[in-house]
Amino acid sequence: MTVFLASLFLPKTIYFSLPEAPPRISRKSVRPSNPGASKRPSLNLRPSLFTPHPQNTPPLTPTDDETAIDDDLFLNEDGLPVHDAEYRAPADKESPSWGGRIFQPTSRANSPPPASILEHDKTFEKAKELGRQGIFQPRASRSDSHDKVFANANWRVVNADQGNGGLRNAAEAAARDGYDGEFTWVGTLGMPADALEGTQQKQDIHDRLVTEFNMLPVFCSDKDFDGHYLHFCKQILWPVFHYQIPDNPKSKAYEDHSWKFYVNLNRAFADKIVKNWKRGDTIWIHDYHLLLVPGMIREKLPEAKIGLFLHVAFPSSEVFRCLAVRKQLLEGMLGANLIGFQIAEYTRHFLQTCSRLLSVETTSEGIQLEDRFVNVTNTAIGIDPVSLNTHRQDPEVMKWVEIMRDRYKDKKIIVARDKLDLVRGVRQKLLAFELFLNKNPSWRDKIVLIQVALSTSEKSDGLDAAVGDIVARINSAWANLAYQPVVYLKQDIPYSQYLALLTIADALMITSQREGMNLTSHEFIVCQDGAYCDRKHGSLILSEFTGTSSLFGGKELSVNPWSYRQCSDAIKQAIEMSDEERSSRWSSLREVVSRQTGSRWFTSFLSQLDQSYDVQHSHDQISIPRLNLNRLAKQYRQCERRLFLLDYEGTLISYEAMRDSVPSNPHRTLAVLNDLVYDSRNTVFIMSARRTDELDRLFRLVPNLGLIAENGCFIKYPSKSSWNEFADRRKVAAWKESVRNTLQYYLERTPGSEIEDRNCSLIFHYKNAEDFTMAERQASDWTAHINESCEEQHVHATQLEDCVVVESHDWTKDTAATHIYEQLKENSDGQPDFLMVVGDGREDEKVFRWANKLQEDGEVKEAVTVTLSGRNTEAKTTLTQAISGVLVTLQKLASLS
Ligand SMILES: *[C@@H]1O[C@H](CO)[C@@H](O)[C@H](O)[C@H]1NC(C)=O
Ligand SMILES: *[C@@H]1O[C@H](CO)[C@@H](O)[C@H](O)[C@H]1NC(C)=O
Ligand SMILES: *[C@@H]1O[C@H](CO)[C@@H](O)[C@H](O)[C@H]1NC(C)=O
Ligand SMILES: *[C@@H]1O[C@H](CO)[C@@H](O)[C@H](O)[C@H]1NC(C)=O
C-alpha cells in the first residue's frame, strides 16, 4: 500500500546538457550583475523556471550603489536566482560538479494574458512588469531549434531546488525514523515541458522517474502551468491567504482569466492519481496549489482515503469570501477525509468560512456534509534537527562561521532573510532598526543588521526602491570607515552561509505581516546551541502574525510589526537581556523545536488520517446493517420496561403531508401508536419541533402517548394534561428580545417573509418571499451572523430549506430524552431495559448517540437506534422503506404483546 504525496513540485527535476549554448532567451538577467561574480568560476548556472538564464555577462563597472558595499562577503557561488524559495533547502550537492552547463527548456506559454483582459490599466501594468522581469516571454524569442536542441540533449535527474523543502525533509526524516509506508511522490518537474512534447525523451524521463525514484511526474502544458502558478496562485490565492485583498475590480479580470488554468492543472494531478490508485492506498495532497484535487478525486473514487494539508495560513472568512471562486475552492478541499492546518487559528477560520459560505454544520472536529463528515486538525510542521545538524558540520559552514565571527567580533548581529514583498515586512523592520539607533546612541557602532532580501515576482509597488532608500539613509547617517549598520544583500546566499549566519547571530528578526509556519526560526534555534560558536542562545524576535508565534508560548520576543516602537524595544531587549534569561528562553524554544519535528508531524498526520477515515466509515450508511426484524422481536420480548422515542416529522409523517398548515395524521399512524401504548410495559414519546398546541391536537386520540414539543423545550408525560416547561422563560425572553430586533430588520427588507414566534424559538420564514433566491442568499449571510453573536447565550441559528430557526441549544431532543429516562428510573416500575430510537434528522443524531452510550455503559440491556436517512449517522441500524417501514415494524412489535 502506497502513500501518494502530491505537491506542486517533485523533489527531482531534469537538467539537460547542451552541446552548445541554446539560443539566447532573455535580454537581461534578473538581478543586477554582481561585480564580484567573475572572481569565482561560476558553475551551476541553473536557470530557474520561467526566469531567464543568467548569462555569463562580463562584470559591470562597479557602481557606488550603497546596496553593494558588502556584497562580496556573501557572494552567491551558485548564481541562483531565487524566485520561490519558500523554504531554504540545501542545494543539490552533486550538480555543480557535473560537466557542462545545465539547461532546461523555456516556457511556450502564450503569456501575457489575452488582450481582452488588458483593458484594465492595472492588469496591463502588472503584465508589463512581469514582462520586464522576463517572466512572460514573447513567442518570437523562441525558435524551433531551441526545441530540437532539447530533444537530443543528454539529461539527468537531479534534486530540485524549488518546492516544499519542509515537506521533503519531513518525509525523509519519517522514513529514517521508521515510518514503514511506501511513498510515491506526485508532482510537476517544475520546468516547461512543451518543448519535449512527443519526444522519446519525455517518455524516458517519465519511465525513469517512476521506476527508479518512485515519482509520478505530472505533465501539463506550459500555458496551464503559467496560468496556474504565476497568475492564479501567485497573484490571487497567495495574496488572499495572506490578507492582501486583490484590488477589485481590476484583478477580478485576472482571477477570471487564470481560474481555468488552475482547474486544468488540478485536473491533471487528480487524473494522474486516480489512474495509479489501488484499494488501500492513501492520498495526501499538499498546499494551496492543489485545493481542487481532493474533490476531483472524490468524484471518481468515493472510497479513497484522502488527506489535505495547507502549509500556508488560512485567512478569516471576511477575507476569503472576496474570492469569486470561494465555493469551488471550499468544495474542492472538502473532498478530503481530513484537512490539516498549521495552527488552531487557521482551522477556526476554515470552519467559520465553511459554515458561512456553504451553510454547513460544523463542530470543533470538522464539517458535517449531507452525506459525509470531514475531519479537521491542526498539526504544525517542524524541521528535522538530525539532518540540520549534519549540514551544520559541513566544513564550508565552519569556514563561514570563522570568517564572520572574526569580522563582527565586537558587534551584536541581527540577521534576517526575507523575500522582498509587502507581506514580509522588511520595510517595517528597517524603520524599526533606524528608530532603535536613533533612540539608543550608545549602541551605534556596536550593532549590525544583516538583511538578505530575495527577489520576488510579485509586484512590489516600489517597495524595492523604498527599502533601498531606507538602507541608504541609515547607512549614511551612522556608517563610518569601520562600521556599516545595515548590510543589505539583494540576492540569496548559499545554504552554508545561511547556516553560518544563523549560528553567529545574536538575534533573528522576523516581522512578517502574515505567515503560515516559518521554519527559519526553528533552524535558528537549533543553530544557537553553541556547538560551533561561542555566541549562543540568541533571541528570536518574531511577529505575532506568524503561525510559529503561537507555538512558542511567549518565549520568543513577540512583536507587532506595525509598531516600530515595539520592534525597536524588542531589539533593545534582545541584546541587553541577561545571559540567564536568554538561556532560559532559548531552552524553552529548543524544547518546542525538538518536540515538534517534521518527522512527528508527518506520521501524526497520517495516523490521524487513518483514524478519521475509520471513524467516518463506521458511520457510513453503507456499512450500517439494516434493522433485523426477527432479532428486534427477540430483544423486545426479553425486556420488561420499554421506552420508545420516535421522531415525528419525516419518521411518522411525510414531509409533504406536513406542508399543509394543519397536517392530518393518517389513521394508520394513530392506530399503530395506540396498539403500542396499549401494552403497559411500553412508554412511547413523540419528538417534534412543533408547538405544544399543535401536538395536543394531532395526538388527542392517543392519550397515553408522551410528547416532546419544540425540540425538547416541553415534555408532556403520558396521560397527563399539562406540559412541563424546561426553558428558563426569563433567559428565553432576553435572547429573543435581541434576536427579534435583528430579524425585524431583515423582515422589513425581505418582502413576503414572516416571523413565527414560538415559545422557545423564533422562526424566520422566507418561503413566500418575493425574491426567494435573494432572500435565501442573504439569509445564509445573516444566519451565520446571528449564530456568532448569540453564541454566549447558547443560542444558535440554522438555515433550513425555506426558513431560519433560531433556538437555544440548552434544550434539545437529547436533553429531553435524558430527562424522561431519569424520570422513568425513579418510577416504581423500574428503569427501562429496552430503548428504541427512530429518526431521520440531524437533531436525532444526538439522541442516537445518547442511547448507544447508555448501552455501552451497560445502563440498558438493549438500545436499538434506527435512522431513515441516507447520510452518515450514529445510528446502529437503518430502515430503508421510510415511514411505512417504521409503521410495519412498530405494528409487529405491538402484535407481540
Ligand atoms: C453556528 O455556531 C455553531 C457553534 O456555536 C456552529 O457549530 C455552527 O456550525 C454554526 N452554524 C452556522 C450556520 O453558522
Ligand atoms: C520564513 O521567514 C524567512 C524570513 O522572514 C523567509 O525568508 C522564508 O521564506 C520563510 N519561510 C517560509 C516557509 O515561508
Ligand atoms: C473525526 O471526527 C470524529 C467525529 O467527530 C471523531 O470521533 C474523530 O475522533 C475525529 N478524528 C480525528 C483524527 O480527530
Ligand atoms: C406558549 O406560548 C403561547 C402563546 O404564544 C401560550 O399561550 C402558551 O401558554 C405557552 N406555553 C406552552 C406550554 O405552550
Side-chain angles (χ1 to χ4, degrees), residues 208-234:
R208 173 117 187 265
L209 283 167
V210 172
T211 51
E212 251 176 71
F213 297 93
N214 217 352
M215 292 183 186
L216 292 173
V218 174
F219 289 105
C220 64
S221 73
D222 292 353
K223 194 172 163 151
D224 282 348
F225 192 92
D226 256 18
H228 166 275
Y229 186 61
L230 295 177
H231 302 186
F232 197 75
C233 288
K234 291 287 160 203

PDB file of all heavy atoms in Angstrom, residues 208-234:
ATOM      1  N   ARG A 208      11.850   6.674 -16.171  1.00  0.00           N
ATOM      2  CA  ARG A 208      12.969   6.613 -15.238  1.00  0.00           C
ATOM      3  C   ARG A 208      12.523   7.124 -13.855  1.00  0.00           C
ATOM      4  O   ARG A 208      12.851   6.540 -12.825  1.00  0.00           O
ATOM      5  CB  ARG A 208      14.087   7.462 -15.813  1.00  0.00           C
ATOM      6  CG  ARG A 208      15.253   7.663 -14.943  1.00  0.00           C
ATOM      7  CD  ARG A 208      16.527   7.063 -15.553  1.00  0.00           C
ATOM      8  NE  ARG A 208      17.570   7.152 -14.562  1.00  0.00           N
ATOM      9  CZ  ARG A 208      18.429   8.167 -14.533  1.00  0.00           C
ATOM     10  NH1 ARG A 208      18.414   9.096 -15.462  1.00  0.00           N
ATOM     11  NH2 ARG A 208      19.331   8.223 -13.568  1.00  0.00           N
ATOM     12  N   LEU A 209      11.746   8.207 -13.840  1.00  0.00           N
ATOM     13  CA  LEU A 209      11.293   8.746 -12.552  1.00  0.00           C
ATOM     14  C   LEU A 209      10.398   7.748 -11.835  1.00  0.00           C
ATOM     15  O   LEU A 209      10.492   7.556 -10.627  1.00  0.00           O
ATOM     16  CB  LEU A 209      10.530  10.052 -12.767  1.00  0.00           C
ATOM     17  CG  LEU A 209      11.423  11.259 -13.039  1.00  0.00           C
ATOM     18  CD1 LEU A 209      10.606  12.432 -13.542  1.00  0.00           C
ATOM     19  CD2 LEU A 209      12.178  11.647 -11.771  1.00  0.00           C
ATOM     20  N   VAL A 210       9.548   7.086 -12.603  1.00  0.00           N
ATOM     21  CA  VAL A 210       8.626   6.142 -11.987  1.00  0.00           C
ATOM     22  C   VAL A 210       9.381   4.943 -11.436  1.00  0.00           C
ATOM     23  O   VAL A 210       9.216   4.562 -10.279  1.00  0.00           O
ATOM     24  CB  VAL A 210       7.560   5.679 -13.008  1.00  0.00           C
ATOM     25  CG1 VAL A 210       6.730   4.551 -12.426  1.00  0.00           C
ATOM     26  CG2 VAL A 210       6.678   6.842 -13.412  1.00  0.00           C
ATOM     27  N   THR A 211      10.233   4.352 -12.256  1.00  0.00           N
ATOM     28  CA  THR A 211      10.848   3.096 -11.831  1.00  0.00           C
ATOM     29  C   THR A 211      11.968   3.312 -10.828  1.00  0.00           C
ATOM     30  O   THR A 211      12.074   2.609  -9.845  1.00  0.00           O
ATOM     31  CB  THR A 211      11.414   2.346 -13.041  1.00  0.00           C
ATOM     32  OG1 THR A 211      12.224   3.243 -13.782  1.00  0.00           O
ATOM     33  CG2 THR A 211      10.302   1.824 -13.928  1.00  0.00           C
ATOM     34  N   GLU A 212      12.796   4.340 -11.069  1.00  0.00           N
ATOM     35  CA  GLU A 212      13.959   4.474 -10.199  1.00  0.00           C
ATOM     36  C   GLU A 212      13.683   5.282  -8.943  1.00  0.00           C
ATOM     37  O   GLU A 212      14.274   5.053  -7.905  1.00  0.00           O
ATOM     38  CB  GLU A 212      15.079   5.159 -10.977  1.00  0.00           C
ATOM     39  CG  GLU A 212      16.201   4.219 -11.316  1.00  0.00           C
ATOM     40  CD  GLU A 212      17.208   4.940 -12.168  1.00  0.00           C
ATOM     41  OE1 GLU A 212      17.913   5.809 -11.642  1.00  0.00           O
ATOM     42  OE2 GLU A 212      17.262   4.637 -13.390  1.00  0.00           O
ATOM     43  N   PHE A 213      12.791   6.289  -9.071  1.00  0.00           N
ATOM     44  CA  PHE A 213      12.620   7.197  -7.943  1.00  0.00           C
ATOM     45  C   PHE A 213      11.251   7.122  -7.291  1.00  0.00           C
ATOM     46  O   PHE A 213      10.972   7.826  -6.334  1.00  0.00           O
ATOM     47  CB  PHE A 213      12.876   8.642  -8.393  1.00  0.00           C
ATOM     48  CG  PHE A 213      14.275   8.870  -8.871  1.00  0.00           C
ATOM     49  CD1 PHE A 213      14.595   8.749 -10.203  1.00  0.00           C
ATOM     50  CD2 PHE A 213      15.276   9.183  -7.965  1.00  0.00           C
ATOM     51  CE1 PHE A 213      15.891   8.953 -10.642  1.00  0.00           C
ATOM     52  CE2 PHE A 213      16.573   9.398  -8.394  1.00  0.00           C
ATOM     53  CZ  PHE A 213      16.884   9.274  -9.744  1.00  0.00           C
ATOM     54  N   ASN A 214      10.376   6.276  -7.859  1.00  0.00           N
ATOM     55  CA  ASN A 214       9.031   6.177  -7.332  1.00  0.00           C
ATOM     56  C   ASN A 214       8.316   7.532  -7.343  1.00  0.00           C
ATOM     57  O   ASN A 214       7.696   7.931  -6.378  1.00  0.00           O
ATOM     58  CB  ASN A 214       9.080   5.626  -5.909  1.00  0.00           C
ATOM     59  CG  ASN A 214       7.918   4.698  -5.655  1.00  0.00           C
ATOM     60  OD1 ASN A 214       7.028   4.612  -6.499  1.00  0.00           O
ATOM     61  ND2 ASN A 214       7.919   4.044  -4.536  1.00  0.00           N
ATOM     62  N   MET A 215       8.456   8.233  -8.439  1.00  0.00           N
ATOM     63  CA  MET A 215       7.814   9.540  -8.562  1.00  0.00           C
ATOM     64  C   MET A 215       6.968   9.552  -9.818  1.00  0.00           C
ATOM     65  O   MET A 215       7.404   9.107 -10.876  1.00  0.00           O
ATOM     66  CB  MET A 215       8.869  10.634  -8.686  1.00  0.00           C
ATOM     67  CG  MET A 215       9.656  10.805  -7.416  1.00  0.00           C
ATOM     68  SD  MET A 215      10.824  12.125  -7.527  1.00  0.00           S
ATOM     69  CE  MET A 215      11.645  11.892  -5.946  1.00  0.00           C
ATOM     70  N   LEU A 216       5.762  10.086  -9.683  1.00  0.00           N
ATOM     71  CA  LEU A 216       4.879  10.189 -10.846  1.00  0.00           C
ATOM     72  C   LEU A 216       4.905  11.626 -11.342  1.00  0.00           C
ATOM     73  O   LEU A 216       4.354  12.508 -10.697  1.00  0.00           O
ATOM     74  CB  LEU A 216       3.441   9.850 -10.451  1.00  0.00           C
ATOM     75  CG  LEU A 216       3.129   8.420 -10.058  1.00  0.00           C
ATOM     76  CD1 LEU A 216       1.690   8.339  -9.543  1.00  0.00           C
ATOM     77  CD2 LEU A 216       3.314   7.509 -11.248  1.00  0.00           C
ATOM     78  N   PRO A 217       5.565  11.858 -12.457  1.00  0.00           N
ATOM     79  CA  PRO A 217       5.589  13.238 -12.957  1.00  0.00           C
ATOM     80  C   PRO A 217       4.253  13.605 -13.604  1.00  0.00           C
ATOM     81  O   PRO A 217       3.675  12.813 -14.329  1.00  0.00           O
ATOM     82  CB  PRO A 217       6.705  13.228 -13.999  1.00  0.00           C
ATOM     83  CG  PRO A 217       6.858  11.821 -14.406  1.00  0.00           C
ATOM     84  CD  PRO A 217       6.344  10.951 -13.303  1.00  0.00           C
ATOM     85  N   VAL A 218       3.767  14.782 -13.283  1.00  0.00           N
ATOM     86  CA  VAL A 218       2.543  15.280 -13.908  1.00  0.00           C
ATOM     87  C   VAL A 218       2.977  16.260 -14.992  1.00  0.00           C
ATOM     88  O   VAL A 218       3.668  17.231 -14.718  1.00  0.00           O
ATOM     89  CB  VAL A 218       1.669  16.020 -12.879  1.00  0.00           C
ATOM     90  CG1 VAL A 218       0.461  16.657 -13.552  1.00  0.00           C
ATOM     91  CG2 VAL A 218       1.236  15.065 -11.788  1.00  0.00           C
ATOM     92  N   PHE A 219       2.600  15.966 -16.222  1.00  0.00           N
ATOM     93  CA  PHE A 219       2.929  16.893 -17.306  1.00  0.00           C
ATOM     94  C   PHE A 219       1.689  17.703 -17.652  1.00  0.00           C
ATOM     95  O   PHE A 219       0.596  17.167 -17.720  1.00  0.00           O
ATOM     96  CB  PHE A 219       3.398  16.126 -18.544  1.00  0.00           C
ATOM     97  CG  PHE A 219       4.751  15.507 -18.380  1.00  0.00           C
ATOM     98  CD1 PHE A 219       4.891  14.139 -18.170  1.00  0.00           C
ATOM     99  CD2 PHE A 219       5.900  16.289 -18.414  1.00  0.00           C
ATOM    100  CE1 PHE A 219       6.145  13.558 -18.000  1.00  0.00           C
ATOM    101  CE2 PHE A 219       7.156  15.716 -18.252  1.00  0.00           C
ATOM    102  CZ  PHE A 219       7.280  14.350 -18.050  1.00  0.00           C
ATOM    103  N   CYS A 220       1.875  18.978 -17.843  1.00  0.00           N
ATOM    104  CA  CYS A 220       0.755  19.769 -18.327  1.00  0.00           C
ATOM    105  C   CYS A 220       1.341  20.803 -19.270  1.00  0.00           C
ATOM    106  O   CYS A 220       2.549  20.984 -19.319  1.00  0.00           O
ATOM    107  CB  CYS A 220       0.030  20.429 -17.166  1.00  0.00           C
ATOM    108  SG  CYS A 220       1.028  21.612 -16.298  1.00  0.00           S
ATOM    109  N   SER A 221       0.482  21.458 -20.019  1.00  0.00           N
ATOM    110  CA  SER A 221       1.016  22.408 -20.992  1.00  0.00           C
ATOM    111  C   SER A 221       1.643  23.597 -20.258  1.00  0.00           C
ATOM    112  O   SER A 221       1.260  23.920 -19.130  1.00  0.00           O
ATOM    113  CB  SER A 221      -0.095  22.890 -21.907  1.00  0.00           C
ATOM    114  OG  SER A 221      -0.929  23.762 -21.186  1.00  0.00           O
ATOM    115  N   ASP A 222       2.595  24.222 -20.885  1.00  0.00           N
ATOM    116  CA  ASP A 222       3.252  25.381 -20.277  1.00  0.00           C
ATOM    117  C   ASP A 222       2.238  26.475 -19.987  1.00  0.00           C
ATOM    118  O   ASP A 222       2.342  27.214 -19.007  1.00  0.00           O
ATOM    119  CB  ASP A 222       4.330  25.927 -21.210  1.00  0.00           C
ATOM    120  CG  ASP A 222       5.492  24.956 -21.343  1.00  0.00           C
ATOM    121  OD1 ASP A 222       5.497  23.952 -20.603  1.00  0.00           O
ATOM    122  OD2 ASP A 222       6.380  25.191 -22.178  1.00  0.00           O
ATOM    123  N   LYS A 223       1.244  26.542 -20.839  1.00  0.00           N
ATOM    124  CA  LYS A 223       0.223  27.553 -20.673  1.00  0.00           C
ATOM    125  C   LYS A 223      -0.569  27.326 -19.383  1.00  0.00           C
ATOM    126  O   LYS A 223      -0.804  28.245 -18.601  1.00  0.00           O
ATOM    127  CB  LYS A 223      -0.701  27.472 -21.878  1.00  0.00           C
ATOM    128  CG  LYS A 223      -1.574  28.640 -22.013  1.00  0.00           C
ATOM    129  CD  LYS A 223      -2.316  28.558 -23.328  1.00  0.00           C
ATOM    130  CE  LYS A 223      -3.448  29.520 -23.211  1.00  0.00           C
ATOM    131  NZ  LYS A 223      -3.875  30.096 -24.419  1.00  0.00           N
ATOM    132  N   ASP A 224      -0.946  26.079 -19.166  1.00  0.00           N
ATOM    133  CA  ASP A 224      -1.665  25.766 -17.931  1.00  0.00           C
ATOM    134  C   ASP A 224      -0.786  26.054 -16.722  1.00  0.00           C
ATOM    135  O   ASP A 224      -1.234  26.580 -15.714  1.00  0.00           O
ATOM    136  CB  ASP A 224      -2.067  24.277 -17.902  1.00  0.00           C
ATOM    137  CG  ASP A 224      -3.273  24.008 -18.776  1.00  0.00           C
ATOM    138  OD1 ASP A 224      -3.913  24.986 -19.210  1.00  0.00           O
ATOM    139  OD2 ASP A 224      -3.564  22.823 -19.034  1.00  0.00           O
ATOM    140  N   PHE A 225       0.474  25.683 -16.848  1.00  0.00           N
ATOM    141  CA  PHE A 225       1.349  25.858 -15.698  1.00  0.00           C
ATOM    142  C   PHE A 225       1.526  27.335 -15.368  1.00  0.00           C
ATOM    143  O   PHE A 225       1.382  27.755 -14.229  1.00  0.00           O
ATOM    144  CB  PHE A 225       2.711  25.215 -15.944  1.00  0.00           C
ATOM    145  CG  PHE A 225       3.508  25.125 -14.689  1.00  0.00           C
ATOM    146  CD1 PHE A 225       3.451  23.992 -13.906  1.00  0.00           C
ATOM    147  CD2 PHE A 225       4.260  26.206 -14.249  1.00  0.00           C
ATOM    148  CE1 PHE A 225       4.139  23.928 -12.713  1.00  0.00           C
ATOM    149  CE2 PHE A 225       4.943  26.147 -13.050  1.00  0.00           C
ATOM    150  CZ  PHE A 225       4.886  25.001 -12.286  1.00  0.00           C
ATOM    151  N   ASP A 226       1.825  28.110 -16.379  1.00  0.00           N
ATOM    152  CA  ASP A 226       1.960  29.557 -16.196  1.00  0.00           C
ATOM    153  C   ASP A 226       0.717  30.157 -15.569  1.00  0.00           C
ATOM    154  O   ASP A 226       0.792  30.915 -14.611  1.00  0.00           O
ATOM    155  CB  ASP A 226       2.113  30.213 -17.570  1.00  0.00           C
ATOM    156  CG  ASP A 226       3.542  30.610 -17.827  1.00  0.00           C
ATOM    157  OD1 ASP A 226       4.415  30.076 -17.121  1.00  0.00           O
ATOM    158  OD2 ASP A 226       3.763  31.434 -18.718  1.00  0.00           O
ATOM    159  N   GLY A 227      -0.419  29.833 -16.173  1.00  0.00           N
ATOM    160  CA  GLY A 227      -1.676  30.414 -15.721  1.00  0.00           C
ATOM    161  C   GLY A 227      -1.971  29.991 -14.296  1.00  0.00           C
ATOM    162  O   GLY A 227      -2.427  30.782 -13.471  1.00  0.00           O
ATOM    163  N   HIS A 228      -1.679  28.741 -13.990  1.00  0.00           N
ATOM    164  CA  HIS A 228      -1.929  28.235 -12.650  1.00  0.00           C
ATOM    165  C   HIS A 228      -1.007  28.892 -11.638  1.00  0.00           C
ATOM    166  O   HIS A 228      -1.439  29.470 -10.657  1.00  0.00           O
ATOM    167  CB  HIS A 228      -1.716  26.715 -12.645  1.00  0.00           C
ATOM    168  CG  HIS A 228      -1.609  26.123 -11.277  1.00  0.00           C
ATOM    169  ND1 HIS A 228      -0.432  26.078 -10.573  1.00  0.00           N
ATOM    170  CD2 HIS A 228      -2.540  25.567 -10.458  1.00  0.00           C
ATOM    171  CE1 HIS A 228      -0.647  25.517  -9.390  1.00  0.00           C
ATOM    172  NE2 HIS A 228      -1.912  25.201  -9.295  1.00  0.00           N
ATOM    173  N   TYR A 229       0.278  28.799 -11.930  1.00  0.00           N
ATOM    174  CA  TYR A 229       1.246  29.148 -10.902  1.00  0.00           C
ATOM    175  C   TYR A 229       1.492  30.654 -10.817  1.00  0.00           C
ATOM    176  O   TYR A 229       1.334  31.275  -9.766  1.00  0.00           O
ATOM    177  CB  TYR A 229       2.542  28.401 -11.184  1.00  0.00           C
ATOM    178  CG  TYR A 229       3.587  28.555 -10.115  1.00  0.00           C
ATOM    179  CD1 TYR A 229       3.331  28.120  -8.820  1.00  0.00           C
ATOM    180  CD2 TYR A 229       4.812  29.131 -10.397  1.00  0.00           C
ATOM    181  CE1 TYR A 229       4.285  28.260  -7.834  1.00  0.00           C
ATOM    182  CE2 TYR A 229       5.770  29.268  -9.412  1.00  0.00           C
ATOM    183  CZ  TYR A 229       5.493  28.838  -8.137  1.00  0.00           C
ATOM    184  OH  TYR A 229       6.438  28.979  -7.154  1.00  0.00           O
ATOM    185  N   LEU A 230       1.857  31.228 -11.960  1.00  0.00           N
ATOM    186  CA  LEU A 230       2.215  32.642 -11.918  1.00  0.00           C
ATOM    187  C   LEU A 230       0.996  33.538 -11.767  1.00  0.00           C
ATOM    188  O   LEU A 230       1.067  34.575 -11.138  1.00  0.00           O
ATOM    189  CB  LEU A 230       2.969  33.025 -13.192  1.00  0.00           C
ATOM    190  CG  LEU A 230       4.317  32.350 -13.349  1.00  0.00           C
ATOM    191  CD1 LEU A 230       4.941  32.740 -14.662  1.00  0.00           C
ATOM    192  CD2 LEU A 230       5.233  32.739 -12.188  1.00  0.00           C
ATOM    193  N   HIS A 231      -0.097  33.124 -12.351  1.00  0.00           N
ATOM    194  CA  HIS A 231      -1.252  34.009 -12.298  1.00  0.00           C
ATOM    195  C   HIS A 231      -2.148  33.694 -11.119  1.00  0.00           C
ATOM    196  O   HIS A 231      -2.270  34.483 -10.192  1.00  0.00           O
ATOM    197  CB  HIS A 231      -2.053  33.933 -13.602  1.00  0.00           C
ATOM    198  CG  HIS A 231      -1.239  34.292 -14.803  1.00  0.00           C
ATOM    199  ND1 HIS A 231      -1.757  34.405 -16.046  1.00  0.00           N
ATOM    200  CD2 HIS A 231       0.078  34.573 -14.913  1.00  0.00           C
ATOM    201  CE1 HIS A 231      -0.799  34.727 -16.894  1.00  0.00           C
ATOM    202  NE2 HIS A 231       0.322  34.830 -16.216  1.00  0.00           N
ATOM    203  N   PHE A 232      -2.752  32.510 -11.147  1.00  0.00           N
ATOM    204  CA  PHE A 232      -3.749  32.273 -10.108  1.00  0.00           C
ATOM    205  C   PHE A 232      -3.132  32.114  -8.716  1.00  0.00           C
ATOM    206  O   PHE A 232      -3.555  32.757  -7.764  1.00  0.00           O
ATOM    207  CB  PHE A 232      -4.630  31.072 -10.444  1.00  0.00           C
ATOM    208  CG  PHE A 232      -5.885  31.073  -9.632  1.00  0.00           C
ATOM    209  CD1 PHE A 232      -6.904  31.969  -9.940  1.00  0.00           C
ATOM    210  CD2 PHE A 232      -6.032  30.246  -8.540  1.00  0.00           C
ATOM    211  CE1 PHE A 232      -8.051  32.014  -9.172  1.00  0.00           C
ATOM    212  CE2 PHE A 232      -7.176  30.290  -7.776  1.00  0.00           C
ATOM    213  CZ  PHE A 232      -8.183  31.176  -8.093  1.00  0.00           C
ATOM    214  N   CYS A 233      -2.123  31.260  -8.615  1.00  0.00           N
ATOM    215  CA  CYS A 233      -1.541  31.038  -7.280  1.00  0.00           C
ATOM    216  C   CYS A 233      -0.850  32.289  -6.743  1.00  0.00           C
ATOM    217  O   CYS A 233      -1.078  32.708  -5.625  1.00  0.00           O
ATOM    218  CB  CYS A 233      -0.544  29.892  -7.319  1.00  0.00           C
ATOM    219  SG  CYS A 233      -1.345  28.308  -7.491  1.00  0.00           S
ATOM    220  N   LYS A 234       0.029  32.867  -7.582  1.00  0.00           N
ATOM    221  CA  LYS A 234       0.854  33.962  -7.054  1.00  0.00           C
ATOM    222  C   LYS A 234       0.128  35.303  -7.004  1.00  0.00           C
ATOM    223  O   LYS A 234       0.407  36.119  -6.140  1.00  0.00           O
ATOM    224  CB  LYS A 234       2.123  34.097  -7.910  1.00  0.00           C
ATOM    225  CG  LYS A 234       3.079  32.934  -7.755  1.00  0.00           C
ATOM    226  CD  LYS A 234       3.778  32.988  -6.412  1.00  0.00           C
ATOM    227  CE  LYS A 234       4.333  31.626  -6.043  1.00  0.00           C
ATOM    228  NZ  LYS A 234       4.548  31.430  -4.622  1.00  0.00           N
TER     229      LYS A 234
END
